[in-house]
Amino acid sequence: GESVGLHLPTLSVQEGDNSIINCAYSNSASDYFIWYKQESGKGPQFIIDIRSNMDKRQGQRVTVLLNKTVKHLSLQIAATQPGDSAVYFCAEITCSSGNTPLVFGKGTRLSVIA
Amino acid sequence: EPEVTQTPSHQVTQMGQEVILRCVPISNHLYFYWYRQILGQKVEFLVSFYNNEISEKSEIFDDQFSVERPDGSNFTLKIRSTKLEDSAMYFCASSRTTTGLNTEAFFGQGTRLTVV
């Protein structure tokens, strides 16, 4: 079936370095993607989103890249800080199908080493 | 800053018992959702609710589950006869309009349900 998944379950990064978290999706009809951050004991928190007609979008210290050719999404975090330690989920929606629910990937745990 | 609140934070129940998980969505939001996350796994969609009716539900949301908006502020998830495999974190979310382009879903802190 169609799914959203992640390449790596864990990622350890030195404080100050850049982090790259990857996500693969298989539904070619997906037209909207979101990255969520989930800290321990908390619900998912929106980080950044991107439409399928874009290939890059930048926020504060975060950049999302979308490669529709290979159905790949990535989240780049610049100058990673200890507060960035969390599980990161990509999620997709097919807006053309109406009010579709978020489909989450399994998550990547980011650990920042001080 | 407005937030989605959920109670209780942790619910322990015996297998076969009924549980009600409660959520207070953000006040001007119109769309409400329940998701669950089994320990170590991804967040899974259960149900979406709009205009006092279910708009979409997943295969997980079987006859044992029901949702209700009993008043203008609460949104509840009921599990009639809990099973061990219902143990998970349950997240409530709400959005101002349909989730999609430029419409963020806000999540609550979650209720941890433990079925013993």
Side-chain angles (χ1 to χ4, degrees):
Chain A
E2 294 170 331
S3 66
V4 179
L6 293 165
H7 290 310
L8 297 173
T10 59
L11 178 66
S12 295
V13 177
Q14 202 74 33
E15 181 180 358
D17 287 351
N18 297 334
S19 303
I20 300 176
I21 301 171
N22 297 304
C23 177
Y25 66 95
S26 58
N27 184 0
S28 57
S30 299
D31 47 20
Y32 179 59
F33 304 88
I34 310 165
W35 279 101
Y36 281 89
K37 174 185 180 182
Q38 186 178 25
E39 296 176 279
S40 181
K42 297 184 178 180
Q45 181 184 9
F46 176 96
I47 302 174
I48 192 168
D49 58 358
I50 189 168
R51 306 179 189 192
S52 61
N53 62 353
M54 305 167 69
D55 53 21
K56 181 179 180 178
R57 192 168 187 212
Q58 285 186 293
Q60 188 177 17
R61 279 201 311 118
V62 294
T63 301
V64 55
L65 299 176
L66 175 63
N67 185 332
K68 294 182 290 296
T69 302
V70 295
K71 299 193 189 73
H72 184 267
L73 191 71
S74 68
L75 176 71
Q76 300 178 1
I77 305 173
T80 313
Q81 302 168 0
D84 295 326
S85 293
V87 177
Y88 290 80
F89 294 92
C90 64
E92 62 96 2
I93 295 175
T94 306
C95 296
S96 58
S97 300
N99 183 19
T100 62
L102 292 165
V103 175
F104 285 86
K106 191 172 182 179
T108 291
R109 180 173 299 281
L110 176 65
S111 296
V112 181
I113 304 165
Chain B
E1 186 177 320
E3 59 181 11
V4 176
T5 57
Q6 291 183 243
T7 55
S9 57
H10 190 190
Q11 174 81 55
V12 182
T13 188
Q14 277 198 322
M15 188 170 55
Q17 294 296 306
E18 174 184 286
V19 293
I20 298 176
L21 309 183
R22 303 181 190 279
C23 169
V24 179
I26 294 173
S27 61
N28 63 345
H29 285 186
L30 301 176
Y31 291 80
F32 315 112
Y33 313 86
W34 281 102
Y35 288 80
R36 81 170 185 191
Q37 184 179 30
I38 295 171
L39 185 65
Q41 298 187 22
K42 63 183 181 181
V43 178
E44 300 173 293
F45 170 76
L46 293 179
V47 65
S48 58
F49 191 86
Y50 170 71
N51 199 27
N52 287 318
E53 62 182 21
I54 291 173
S55 52
E56 192 159 353
K57 60 183 181 180
S58 71
E59 293 177 351
I60 302 168
F61 195 88
D62 60 22
D63 291 344
Q64 292 299 312
F65 291 86
S66 63
V67 289
E68 193 177 33
R69 188 154 163 82
D71 52 45
S73 60
N74 290 286
F75 179 52
T76 62
L77 174 69
K78 181 192 291 186
I79 308 174
R80 291 191 183 82
S81 179
T82 50
K83 303 186 288 289
L84 294 176
E85 52 265 37
D86 293 327
S87 296
M89 284 289 289
Y90 287 81
F91 292 105
C92 173
S94 69
S95 62
R96 185 170 45 83
T97 63
T98 303
T99 53
L101 303 179
N102 300 318
T103 301
E104 181 180 345
F106 291 81
F107 285 79
Q109 300 274 58
T111 291
R112 180 177 301 282
L113 176 64
T114 301
V115 182
V116 297

